[in-house]
Amino acid sequence: MSSSSSVPPQQQPPPLPAETAAAAAKLEELLDSLLKISITVANYQPESAQVLQRRINEYVTHLADLDVLREALDVRVPLSILEALDAGKDPDVTTGELVQLAVDANQKTHGRMRALQMLNRDVASEVQRNYPELWATHATSGAAQFPIPAGPGLDQSHLLLAPPAPPPPSGAASAAAAAALPPPPH
């Protein structure tokens, strides 16, 4: 019996937009030109001065080409990534750390949303149980109800927020309004 490995094939990244692909190709040329300059400098002989000068000119041309391509790109690199690169950190590790921070913040936000949904459900249940007339009036009055925005993987079809409460009445009207409310059952 031969055991076949169930390793999924490596996914290919999506194709780059034309401007990005051109910039990536120009960056590769720039790096190649730097490599050639470093080899020429490491093996420098007085007769290789013209070769070194030509390679430096090629490098400058590549930089000018990149500057032209830069105008067509809208790439924003966070300053923290550039600082990490300057400090000699591995960009993959830095990116992984940033992704983990985003995942943690997302989970924290998800937990807060769930807590608020549960609170909303509990408050609605208590209002319905303790003030059935008010609940029935509210449900049949056509008052605006605001659904909680749905998040991924959350069933929120039963959750509704009540419209904002009107400002409290002032003076004598306040006492009359307070007397009109039934006391909550115990």
Side-chain angles (χ1 to χ4, degrees), residues 1 38 43 59 62 66 77 83-84 111 134 139 145 149 161 163 177 182:
M1 278 190 176
S38 67
N43 299 324
Y59 177 73
H62 291 310
L66 267 177
V77 178
E83 289 170 346
L134 181 62
Q145 295 180 343
L161 291 176

Side-chain angles (χ1 to χ4, degrees), residues 32-62:
D32 186 52
S33 133
L34 276 174
L35 178 63
K36 288 177 182 177
I37 289 173
S38 67
I39 291 171
T40 305
V41 168
N43 299 324
Y44 186 75
Q45 301 292 325
E47 52 273 359
S48 63
Q50 284 185 330
V51 173
L52 180 60
Q53 183 64 40
R54 189 188 68 216
R55 289 186 175 166
I56 290 174
N57 288 339
E58 287 175 4
Y59 177 73
V60 170
T61 302
H62 291 310

Side-chain angles (χ1 to χ4, degrees), residues 68-88:
V68 170
L69 289 173
R70 173 190 56 87
E71 295 170 4
L73 295 175
D74 184 25
V75 177
R76 300 173 196 269
V77 178
L79 184 59
S80 59
I81 296 288
L82 297 176
E83 289 170 346
L85 290 173
D86 283 343

Side-chain angles (χ1 to χ4, degrees), residues 63-131:
L63 284 174
D65 293 344
L66 267 177
D67 191 49
V68 170
L69 289 173
R70 173 190 56 87
E71 295 170 4
L73 295 175
D74 184 25
V75 177
R76 300 173 196 269
V77 178
L79 184 59
S80 59
I81 296 288
L82 297 176
E83 289 170 346
L85 290 173
D86 283 343
K89 293 184 179 177
D90 183 3
D92 292 334
V93 171
T94 304
T95 302
E97 290 170 354
L98 290 175
V99 167
Q100 187 59 47
L101 286 173
V103 167
D104 292 346
N106 186 32
Q107 288 176 342
K108 188 175 184 180
T109 302
H110 179 76
R112 287 178 178 170
M113 286 175 52
R114 296 290 293 170
L116 287 173
Q117 291 166 355
M118 290 169 35
L119 175 65
N120 185 38
R121 184 189 64 229
D122 292 346
V123 167
S125 172
E126 288 298 314
V127 168
Q128 187 176 15
R129 188 170 58 93
N130 293 320
Y131 300 102

